[in-house]
Amino acid sequence: MNWTADDVPDQHGRTIVVTGANSGIGLEATRELARNGATVVMGCRDTERGEAAAADVRADVPDADLRVEACDLASLESIRAFAERLEGEAIEVLINNAGTMAIPRSETEDGFETQFGVNHLGHFALTGLVLEELHTAPETTPARVVTVSSALHERGEIDFDDLHGERSYDKWDAYGQSKLANLLFAYELERRFLTAGLSAKSLAVHPGYANTQLQFRGIEGRGSRIRLLGRRLTNAVLAQSAEKGALPTLYAATAPDAAGGAYYGPGGLLDMRGTPERQASSERSYDRETARRLWDVSSELTGVTYDLPEPKSPSS
């Protein structure tokens, strides 16, 4: 494919929720969705930054239909409040984009390791809480859930004996685990949609190597000027822009031929840059037993249950 932002179809009349919409991939996806007529609900941890981001989009797209809402993925209370404010709205697309990467160990408000809690559990909870709103989307344009993972999911393993890194913690292993969890969730959600006979789709994406603020948070947290300079130099040479990094997300959210259960990422050099294409994720990401177990654990930890049937095993 040679798909670009110019190929985003008309989005008038569609409501799209984007988490982490105030910067990076989320901001650029918001910009293009608004440019094409969507009503975008910007779920942001910091609403002041969210309003500044919305103003930036409106400077580029004067008629942008945007709404900034507080949504801290590190707080189940905040997620529930956000979902309650969306109650009764017809949501065509939910983009699970917000995330944190390679940070020193910390815990969310609810006691989860932060990367696993924000990147996976927060989005698991949010999706379940707005499931009914997704069901109300028009049958002619089936609702979509787009979950943003990373190529670094290939490093990940789900350590059910130490999900929160209490016994042993490596910031990159924890990130890889959370991004693998994103894929296991996205594929399991698609299987449950199909088992329920619903028209909704669940898709996964990765942005490749995109120059966003996400990459700097862990370094800034340690105050390492040398590492910070090194990352800036690497990004200048190798990274693509956040605008291009948002293309897989935009494709999964809007392209008529985007397939449920698929994984999209940049198709260029080492799958790190270029226009979106359908790709294969790691072998671990397709493990149905791990996905089912992770689903059950995630439901127990968050207290969020889905009104969706468990898929039958392939052998049954």
Side-chain angles (χ1 to χ4, degrees), residues 123-144:
H123 286 123
F124 177 92
L126 176 60
T127 305
L129 291 168
V130 301
L131 196 63
E132 191 167 329
E133 281 64 41
L134 287 163
H135 287 185
T136 64
E139 289 293 318
T140 52
T141 55
R144 300 184 187 187

Side-chain angles (χ1 to χ4, degrees), residues 8 18 50 60 92 107 126 133 141 187 217 280 284-285 312:
V8 174
V18 183
D60 193 25
E92 275 71 38
E107 293 185 354
L126 176 60
E133 281 64 41
T141 55
Y187 298 155
R217 288 176 188 155
R284 288 192 187 104
S285 69
K312 294 179 181 179

Side-chain angles (χ1 to χ4, degrees), residues 39-43 58 65-69 85-86 89:
T39 296
V40 184
V41 179
M42 302 171 66
R58 290 191 181 103
D65 186 359
L66 306 172
R67 188 169 102 225
V68 176
E69 292 279 1
R85 294 194 297 275
L86 295 173
E89 296 191 36

Side-chain angles (χ1 to χ4, degrees), residues 32-247:
E32 293 306 322
L33 293 167
R35 193 190 308 280
N36 287 277
T39 296
V40 184
V41 179
M42 302 171 66
C44 303
R45 179 175 60 86
D46 185 327
T47 54
E48 186 174 335
R49 291 183 181 180
E51 293 293 356
D56 178 70
V57 172
R58 290 191 181 103
D60 193 25
V61 186
D63 60 347
D65 186 359
L66 306 172
R67 188 169 102 225
V68 176
E69 292 279 1
C71 181
D72 183 354
L73 274 295
S75 165
L76 289 174
E77 181 180 7
S78 176
I79 294 166
R80 288 183 181 277
F82 178 51
E84 286 174 5
R85 294 194 297 275
L86 295 173
E87 191 172 339
E89 296 191 36
I91 300 171
E92 275 71 38
V93 183
L94 169 62
I95 300 178
N96 290 324
N97 164 78
T100 190
M101 182 174 78
I103 58 172
R105 190 183 185 282
S106 61
E107 293 185 354
T108 69
E109 181 179 293
D110 303 284
F112 309 140
E113 185 277 311
T114 299
Q115 295 192 81
F116 188 70
V118 170
N119 298 353
H120 168 61
L121 291 174
H123 286 123
F124 177 92
L126 176 60
T127 305
L129 291 168
V130 301
L131 196 63
E132 191 167 329
E133 281 64 41
L134 287 163
H135 287 185
T136 64
E139 289 293 318
T140 52
T141 55
R144 300 184 187 187
V145 177
V146 178
T147 300
V148 180
S149 182
S150 165
L152 287 174
H153 81 273
E154 296 188 5
R155 175 175 180 150
E157 295 184 53
I158 307 298
D159 185 355
F160 287 106
D161 294 325
D162 192 23
L163 279 174
H164 304 292
E166 295 169 299
R167 282 180 278 180
S168 176
Y169 182 80
D170 175 272
K171 64 181 184 294
W172 286 110
D173 287 345
Y175 180 69
Q177 174 180 249
S178 72
K179 293 288 103 178
L180 174 59
N182 286 154
L183 287 171
L184 289 162
F185 164 65
Y187 298 155
E188 179 70 5
L189 181 61
E190 173 67 10
R191 288 190 288 268
R192 294 188 182 223
F193 281 157
L194 291 172
T195 303
L198 298 175
S199 59
K201 298 179 181 180
S202 173
L203 310 90
V205 301
H206 77 93
Y209 191 176
N211 189 8
T212 70
Q213 187 60 30
L214 176 67
Q215 300 171 355
F216 294 94
R217 288 176 188 155
I219 298 173
E220 290 171 345
R222 296 194 305 275
S224 173
R225 293 183 179 181
I226 294 176
R227 286 196 179 102
L228 190 60
L229 177 60
R231 179 59 56 82
R232 285 175 176 164
L233 290 173
T234 301
N235 280 14
V237 174
L238 298 177
Q240 62 180 354
S241 65
E243 292 89 343
K244 290 185 177 178
L247 289 179

